[in-house]
Amino acid sequence: MNYQETANKIVEGVGGKNNINSVYHCVTRLRFDLKDNSKADKAALEKLDKVMGTNIAGKQYQVIIGNDVARVFDSIVKEYPELQDKKEKEQDAGEQKNKNVISRLFEFIASVFAPILPAIAGAGLLKGFIALFVSLGWLSAGSDTYRIISSIGDGVFHFLPMLIAFSAARKFNSNPFVAVAVSMALMSPDITALLSSGNPVAFLGIPVTSVTYASSVIPILLAVWLLSYVEKGFNKIIPSSLKLLFVPLFSLLIVVPITMIVIGPLGTFVGDALSGGINWLIVEGGLPAGIILGGAMALIVMTGMHYALVPVILSNLATSGFDKFLPLTYISNMGQAGATAGVFFRAKDKKLKSLALSTALTALMGVTEPAMYGVNMRYKKPFLAGMIGSAAGGGFALMFGVNAYVLAGNGGLPGIPAFIGPTFWYAIGGLAIAFVVSLIVSILLGIKEEAPEQDNSRSESNVSAEQDEAAAASNAALSPADLLEAGSVEPTDETVYAPLTGTAIPLTEMDDPTFGEEMMGKGIAFVPERGELVSPVTGTVMNVFKTKHAIVIRSTDGVELLMHVGINTVKLRGQYFEAHVQTGDQVKAGDKLLTFELDKIAREYDITTAMVVTNTPDYTVIAPLQLGPVAAKQPVLKVEV
């Protein structure tokens, strides 16, 4: 049975086209919104050869397909385009439209390397410690123990193409094991010996260029990209009963020779050119390049551009044994740590001093997000101080040719073994300069504690997935033009109404530091009795979060409110939530915003719901009007300028 036939049978099995409101899919299953679930023929559906089972979650009827779900879904919407979930369709189209080629490239590189970084980081740190132990005389470089431990560290980098092949295959939707088989063929001892023999090599009379695939990055990425298209082509023309044998066979026979003849040399040339260009800029640029790159590194990391340099760093470490770009990331981290430490010495508020001290120490350990987003960007001047210190440290480092010799996997003090080598003390000097200069500049610039400047991309100091999502939820999702149209008004006194029925409690009682410590702003919290969220004000919907658990509204009088249903509910990825408004909609107080299946969510998560005034600094008073039992649309919060 082909995919189109399966799709037609599934549509028939769920009661026909007229019984379907909409359909979308996740990783393994089709998710139908049916008019009447009782019309679905469970037995008939589960007899289909591509259907693994069925399930009903809430009102949603799910048909479990497995790895082929995307192909079955595509076949359904090809035949019945009107059935595709409109919101899902608009969201996907909008996301693709808004992403340019560079953004998609960064996203791809990040998604390929993120899963394999733990193995690379662990092996890199081990290599750093080996170098340290040898330099201290604790380990002999010629001993069997040294060789065994070195093999543990070197193995990951030597066979790096295998890790990349598996990870890239998952991204390209090709068979990851066939992708690994391609990398194994390229790195097999016989092929390696053949290409390194110095003699001319040919395949069917076509010359094969000598290329070393061990530790390479670009060639295997291109090879797996080619594999994804070859597999798709053979999957279309080979009968299902023969696919298991012949799709991998023909894919290997085509991809491996083409890689050796064309892709390998091309990928090596591109990789060498990219690495050479960046390395030339860093080496020849010296002090000016260090100042510019060191100062801008925090911005580079924020935009995700650093992911594009991961292949270059790995290539440099594999081919040259060192890399000059990696030290700048350490230096940037030290700059942010120093700037936050400056806030600790300058601040008067005890809570802020405690936050600055803890996040500065965390940044020294290589985790800069709490310091950068929770303190430095919030007050802006410390962020500038961090960039100034990083520029000073970066200039010093490149002026003296500082190198990183391994990828230690930590950009803080625990990763210092990465610098063990001839330029070690210059590296330490660069880190110290970045920290001290940032500390001093941060103290000199100071902060405005009584009304901290808020960045439009507000975040908080906790690095949990829930809190990162909560911060993102508070960002206005409209364009600048839309924001102007929505009306950027001067805040005035206002009464805010309860967005749900339940029990009102102080926001500080929430078991989540992001809200409980009022990092996002002041407000109030609720323990809901019903799964319905209504608008607490009349105004504009600024952001309906993708996972539907949070929404941001700006009232006509200027108050900006983030409503966040539950704690850690972002992990549900929208399950049990339904949004009734979209970004940009105009709403009145009491209009329905979200509905959610309260009982099902409460089985796994704390359902306490926060309502936070995200532009808190615009007001002198933000206070609950009542606590305890409340009904939706009752006055619960007053804000006064």
Side-chain angles (χ1 to χ4, degrees):
M1 185 181 294
N2 60 33
Y3 292 110
Q4 191 61 62
E5 184 180 352
T6 299
N8 294 337
K9 292 287 186 182
I10 289 174
V11 170
E12 181 182 339
V14 296
K17 181 184 73 170
N18 294 331
N19 191 41
I20 303 174
N21 289 321
S22 64
V23 59
Y24 68 101
H25 75 90
C26 59
V27 178
T28 60
R29 61 195 70 192
L30 297 169
R31 297 175 179 266
F32 288 94
D33 176 15
L34 300 180
K35 296 175 182 177
D36 185 354
N37 284 346
S38 65
K39 291 184 179 181
D41 190 339
K42 176 181 174 71
L45 286 168
E46 294 183 351
K47 286 181 181 178
L48 299 177
D49 61 355
K50 295 187 183 301
V51 175
M52 298 179 180
T54 60
N55 181 49
I56 297 178
K59 296 180 180 179
Q60 188 182 82
Y61 197 92
Q62 302 175 354
V63 180
I64 304 167
I65 304 296
N67 293 335
D68 290 331
V69 65
R71 293 173 179 174
V72 175
F73 173 79
D74 289 343
S75 298
I76 290 177
V77 298
K78 180 181 178 181
E79 184 76 16
Y80 310 103
E82 68 276 13
L83 298 183
Q84 186 175 5
D85 184 279
K86 289 183 179 179
K87 290 182 182 179
E88 188 81 8
K89 194 174 184 179
E90 291 170 359
Q91 187 179 60
D92 291 345
E95 287 179 354
Q96 291 303 317
K97 183 178 179 180
N98 292 332
K99 290 181 181 178
N100 56 35
V101 174
I102 301 300
S103 297
R104 290 197 295 269
L105 176 62
F106 291 164
E107 183 181 285
F108 167 73
I109 294 175
S111 63
V112 169
F113 282 94
I116 65 178
L117 279 179
I120 296 173
L125 192 58
L126 179 61
K127 288 168 66 67
F129 280 122
I130 291 173
L132 175 63
F133 295 159
V134 170
S135 65
L136 294 175
W138 297 353
L139 186 64
S140 172
S143 67
D144 293 342
T145 301
Y146 171 85
R147 294 177 63 184
I148 291 172
I149 297 178
S150 292
S151 295
I152 298 173
D154 292 337
V156 171
F157 294 96
H158 182 80
F159 295 103
L160 182 61
M162 294 184 185
L163 296 178
I164 294 174
F166 189 90
S167 186
R170 296 169 64 185
K171 185 66 178 177
F172 284 126
N173 294 318
S174 60
N175 188 310
F177 299 101
V178 176
V180 172
V182 170
S183 67
M184 288 177 170
L186 296 172
M187 297 179 63
S188 65
D190 196 34
I191 291 293
T192 302
L194 181 66
L195 294 179
S196 62
S197 65
N199 299 320
V201 179
F203 177 78
L204 299 178
I206 303 173
V208 176
T209 303
S210 177
V211 172
T212 300
Y213 292 98
S215 303
S216 64
V217 175
I218 303 296
I220 195 62
L221 284 174
L222 295 175
V224 177
W225 171 75
L226 173 63
L227 174 67
S228 67
Y229 283 96
V230 172
E231 279 187 340
K232 288 176 185 176
F234 283 121
N235 273 318
K236 290 180 180 179
I237 62 176
I238 294 178
S240 298
S241 59
L242 301 176
K243 285 181 180 179
L244 179 63
L245 295 176
F246 290 103
V247 171
L249 170 64
F250 293 143
S251 296
L252 288 170
L253 283 175
I254 291 175
V255 172
V256 173
I258 290 179
T259 299
M260 295 178 65
I261 296 168
V262 180
I263 291 180
L266 175 63
T268 301
F269 172 78
V270 171
D272 289 346
L274 184 60
S275 300
I278 293 175
N279 292 335
W280 179 87
L281 175 64
I282 292 176
V283 172
E284 298 299 324
L287 178 63
I291 292 173
I292 294 171
L293 291 175
M297 186 56 62
L299 299 175
I300 292 173
V301 171
M302 286 171 56
T303 60
M305 292 172 60
H306 61 301
Y307 285 118
L309 296 171
V310 172
V312 175
I313 293 171
L314 292 175
S315 177
N316 287 339
L317 293 173
T319 58
S320 303
F322 60 84
D323 176 73
K324 293 184 178 296
F325 184 84
L326 197 55
L328 297 177
T329 63
Y330 283 71
I331 286 169
S332 178
N333 289 351
M334 292 300 105
Q336 293 300 318
T340 313
V343 174
F344 166 75
F345 287 110
R346 183 67 186 263
K348 297 178 181 179
D349 181 77
K350 291 183 178 179
K351 182 181 290 188
L352 177 57
K353 287 179 75 72
S354 176
L355 175 64
L357 178 61
S358 62
T359 55
L361 293 174
T362 303
L364 284 172
M365 294 298 106
V367 181
T368 57
E369 286 85 353
M372 191 161 68
Y373 292 109
V375 177
N376 296 348
M377 288 186 65
R378 182 183 179 193
Y379 292 93
K380 293 184 180 175
K381 289 180 180 179
F383 185 72
L384 175 62
M387 293 178 65
I388 293 172
S390 300
F396 177 87
L398 289 195
M399 183 171 64
F400 289 100
V402 169
N403 297 321
Y405 297 94
V406 295
L407 182 63
N410 183 290
L413 298 181
I416 283 181
F419 299 116
I420 295 175
T423 61
F424 177 77
W425 291 111
Y426 291 118
I428 299 300
L431 298 179
I433 289 172
F435 183 87
V436 173
V437 171
S438 297
L439 172 68
I440 294 173
V441 174
S442 180
I443 292 174
L444 292 176
L445 292 178
I447 57 173
K448 189 178 180 182
E449 288 184 68
E450 64 276 11
E453 297 176 275
Q454 296 289 339
D455 186 78
N456 284 338
S457 57
R458 290 183 184 91
S459 189
E460 67 295 323
S461 67
N462 192 296
V463 295
S464 70
E466 175 65 11
Q467 291 158 343
D468 285 343
E469 297 285 2
S474 70
N475 297 339
L478 299 180
S479 68
D482 291 329
L483 289 173
L484 291 174
E485 186 177 344
S488 179
V489 299
E490 191 70 24
T492 60
D493 295 355
E494 186 168 1
T495 297
V496 180
Y497 299 93
L500 48 76
T501 297
T503 302
I505 63 173
L507 186 66
T508 53
E509 292 184 7
M510 283 195 70
D511 189 19
D512 185 318
T514 301
F515 299 115
E517 296 179 11
E518 299 182 337
M519 296 178 188
M520 300 291 297
K522 296 181 180 297
I524 191 170
F526 305 88
V527 179
E529 294 178 1
R530 296 207 310 252
E532 181 177 89
L533 190 79
V534 301
S535 180
V537 292
T538 296
T540 303
V541 177
M542 306 304 291
N543 190 3
V544 178
F545 207 56
K546 185 175 181 179
T547 47
K548 306 174 188 175
H549 72 298
I551 190 167
V552 180
I553 291 181
R554 175 187 287 169
S555 78
T556 53
D557 289 327
V559 65
E560 297 173 6
L561 296 165
L562 162 66
M563 288 156 285
H564 192 284
V565 180
I567 299 174
N568 289 325
T569 48
V570 63
K571 296 178 181 179
L572 291 170
R573 297 300 177 190
Q575 189 178 16
Y576 307 137
F577 290 91
E578 181 180 357
H580 298 279
V581 293
Q582 298 181 8
T583 299
D585 285 354
Q586 302 296 313
V587 293
K588 296 180 180 179
D591 285 355
K592 186 186 297 185
L593 302 175
L594 304 172
T595 52
F596 50 94
E597 298 182 58
L598 180 62
D599 293 341
K600 293 182 179 179
I601 297 172
R603 291 173 192 168
E604 301 180 60
Y605 300 97
D606 184 338
I607 198 63
T608 305
T609 297
M611 182 169 70
V612 178
V613 179
T614 57
N615 59 335
T616 288
D618 293 338
Y619 300 92
T620 59
V621 175
I622 299 175
L625 291 172
Q626 63 173 315
L627 298 174
V630 295
K633 295 179 281 189
Q634 285 185 349
V636 292
L637 196 69
K638 68 175 180 179
V639 294
E640 297 178 0
V641 295

